[in-house]
Amino acid sequence: MTRNKALQKWVSEMAELCQPDRIVWIDGSEEQKRALEREAMASGEIIKLDEEKWPGCFYHRTATNDVARTEHLTYICTSKKEDAGPTNNWMEPAEAYRQAGAYFKGAMRGRTMYVIPFAMGPLGSPFTKIGIELTDSIYVVLNMLIMTRAGEDILEQLGDSDNFTRGLHSKGDLDIEKRLILHFPEDNTIWSVGSGYGGNVLLGKKCLSLRIASWLGRQEGWLAEHMLIMGVENPEGRIDYIAAAFPSACGKTNLAMLIPPEPLQKQGYKVWTVGDDIAWIRRGEDGRLWALNPETGFFGVAPGTNSKTNPNALATIRQNTIFTNVLLTHDGDVWWEGGEGEPPAEGIAWDGRPWKPGMVDEGGKPIPGAHPNSRFTAPIKQCPIISPEWDNPKGVPLTAIVFGGRRSRLAPLVYEAFSWQHGVYVGATMASEITAAQYGKQGQVRRDPMAMLPFCGYNMADYFRHWLEFGKTLPHPPKIFHVNWFRKDEDGSFLWPGYGDNLRVLNWIIERAHGGGAAVETPIGYVPAPGAIDMSGLDISEDTVKKLFEVDARDWLEELEDHRRFFEQFGDRLPPEIMEEYHALKERLSQGGAAE
Ligand code: SAT
Ligand code: MN
């Protein structure tokens, strides 16, 4: 399959370790994919869904202890511990290879090792990185064929070069005690063993495109970010591109596929999807920022996806989609909580047990049919509003950068940072309530800088420094904003309708980025002036609007204590600019400039 000596050598060494019965190279052909689907159906690894209802779609169920990324088993293995930093788990590389090596040893006996050559980014783009994933899972192969550009062409592009990410994955025996997700940025290598769940095993995604890429980006002078990319077309036909970072399961996919509310649709607004999870960002020759989505598919959260919340996602997953851990019915249909229509009368839940609507556990809590982190894997091209620019090798030029989190309190609907440096502080102090995409206590607030806490492949203090330095190279750095769609009132109901109406907020952001848009200065940044956000056709009271934009100085001063505690862990490595911003913010808040 290849004459690349470095690749041949590495594949045979890994085969020596894992002892597969066979080695199969993935060529990217339709015939090979079909044959793999048949094989996985025969073994029960995937189940074909009803061809009428779900053409070309499959169902897969993971082990019940293997349903989300396992951050506590995810490591950055650098020679020096400080290079991984205090927010990453660290293991010494030799020790990490030794431990995981013991789990990989003979793990593919009786199995096939698939060699997947893949590219993140379009071939021939300065952004693009090549990887090879070795895996013993057909499910992984089929997902990688959707999520990445995979096959023979990639080998051709790679030629004799040894510049590729070496990814080794084995399901092992799916024992959580023998599960490790290891990154060796100094060796451009990823080892993942003991899991079969998306983010742990689709090595092109979080492992390469964020953890390894963030490391490469720092060396090469660009940014690898956990961001969606979308275009907003205004009635005059101008398209502004926005990149936005939110933690996992906070609505990146929904925002990227947003449908404008009726009054804005009538005015002629349109949205174009470029990506829903990862943005690689470079400075263009024109001094602007250019962003590219390195993926070719969506690995989205199923629950809550319906024709009201995200009709574009629903249209995207109608065919050629793999569903993981949703509810399966006996007639080859799927369903999930917050899905389309009534639940089926009965089915098989994500954990393989029989399920009926209304079932409750011993504590009286409803038993869900689909796991809260159940997913769909669908080709990006099937999205009805896919941007014609989505695979432009140059990427798309960014008008604004947006950070956001899920906060019931504190953070206003939107605010604008005073400068790039302040914007980096805003990103660095992002926080969000824990969702089903992570193991952990749901609802608890955790600090998640730039939504990269689980994905930054090096010391986060150095990452802040990289952002600060990167901004200095830009003649006109884009403005940075923070949004929070999830603010609640005293009785726990959401203050903002969200979904399509978020476009109203994006429009203010775009106006501000172009030098317009009325704003009021607060200690934390600029918020929209009364009337500056188009609320036409919205049933929202003045009082609610006031609450949405409220900046409570006392609450913020309390929050600042948490900022300080978070930053303390980085010691001397923290760039002084960050504490400069901290002190300036504290000063502004203490002066009582905020509404009480
Ligand atoms: O599971 S993934 O890491 O691929 C998705 C996510 O959690 O953002
Ligand atoms: Mn994500």
Side-chain angles (χ1 to χ4, degrees), residues 69 205-206 210 226-227 246-249 252 276-278 299 375 437 451 455:
R69 278 179 291 103
K205 198 172 179 54
K206 309 297 188 181
L210 291 177
H226 193 200
M227 292 178 174
F246 306 116
S248 301
K252 284 199 298 298
D276 79 329
D277 197 39
I278 294 168
F299 185 64
R375 300 265 170 171
F455 306 120

Side-chain angles (χ1 to χ4, degrees), residues 68-69 181 197-203 205-207 211 299:
R69 278 179 291 103
I181 323 297
Y197 169 76
N200 290 338
V201 300
L202 309 178
L203 301 187
K205 198 172 179 54
K206 309 297 188 181
C207 301
R211 298 195 189 97
F299 185 64

Side-chain angles (χ1 to χ4, degrees), residues 282-290 398 470-471 473-478:
R282 284 174 179 260
R283 177 184 190 268
E285 273 157 26
D286 57 3
R288 288 191 291 173
L289 283 190
W290 290 74
L398 290 183
F470 187 69
T473 69
L474 305 171
H476 309 287

Side-chain angles (χ1 to χ4, degrees), residues 314-457:
L314 218 59
T316 305
I317 63 179
R318 273 278 146 218
Q319 51 199 332
N320 310 318
T321 294
I322 302 171
F323 294 93
T324 304
N325 292 341
V326 297
L327 178 93
L328 178 70
T329 70
H330 300 290
D331 54 356
D333 196 357
V334 285
W335 186 82
W336 48 83
E337 277 67 26
E340 208 51 12
E342 292 300 308
E346 57 174 6
I348 312 162
W350 67 274
D351 58 1
R353 290 197 278 200
W355 184 90
K356 277 194 172 76
M359 277 169 54
V360 291
D361 64 16
E362 311 88 62
K365 272 206 351 232
I367 298 178
H371 188 275
N373 193 39
S374 53
R375 300 265 170 171
F376 53 76
T377 320
I380 191 168
K381 282 195 207 136
Q382 292 180 185
C383 176
I385 58 163
I386 186 68
S387 161
E389 300 296 317
W390 82 272
D391 60 351
N392 188 330
K394 281 170 60 183
V396 293
L398 290 183
T399 298
I401 289 177
V402 178
F403 294 120
R406 179 186 285 272
R407 298 297 298 263
S408 333
R409 298 177 55 245
L410 196 76
L413 180 61
V414 58
Y415 65 98
E416 175 192 326
F418 294 121
S419 63
W420 179 272
Q421 180 172 308
H422 179 227
V424 173
Y425 183 86
V426 170
T429 54
M430 254 173 72
S432 196
E433 287 152 24
I434 290 180
T435 67
Q438 303 97 27
Y439 278 99
K441 195 161 179 286
Q442 282 187 40
Q444 214 173 28
V445 172
R446 79 160 177 183
R447 306 231 75 84
D448 189 354
M450 281 88 167
M452 283 289 279
L453 184 75
F455 306 120
C456 184

Side-chain angles (χ1 to χ4, degrees), residues 510-525:
I510 291 165
E511 265 185 83
R512 290 292 294 169
H514 287 292
V520 180
E521 189 174 334
T522 79
I524 63 165

Side-chain angles (χ1 to χ4, degrees), residues 230-234 236-241 270-272 387-389 397 399 510 514:
M230 66 194 289
V232 177
E233 182 172 338
N234 76 1
E236 286 79 54
R238 186 191 70 202
I239 302 180
D240 284 284
Y241 295 95
K270 281 192 199 124
V271 165
W272 300 101
S387 161
E389 300 296 317
T399 298
I510 291 165
H514 287 292

Side-chain angles (χ1 to χ4, degrees), residues 452-488:
M452 283 289 279
L453 184 75
F455 306 120
C456 184
Y458 60 102
N459 191 316
M460 214 143 205
D462 300 347
Y463 169 77
F464 299 149
R465 150 98 33 235
H466 181 46
W467 263 84
L468 291 165
E469 296 304 324
F470 187 69
K472 288 182 196 152
T473 69
L474 305 171
H476 309 287
K479 284 192 173 169
I480 298 179
F481 297 81
H482 186 279
V483 299
N484 175 26
W485 317 130
F486 302 96
R487 201 168 188 174
K488 290 181 177 168

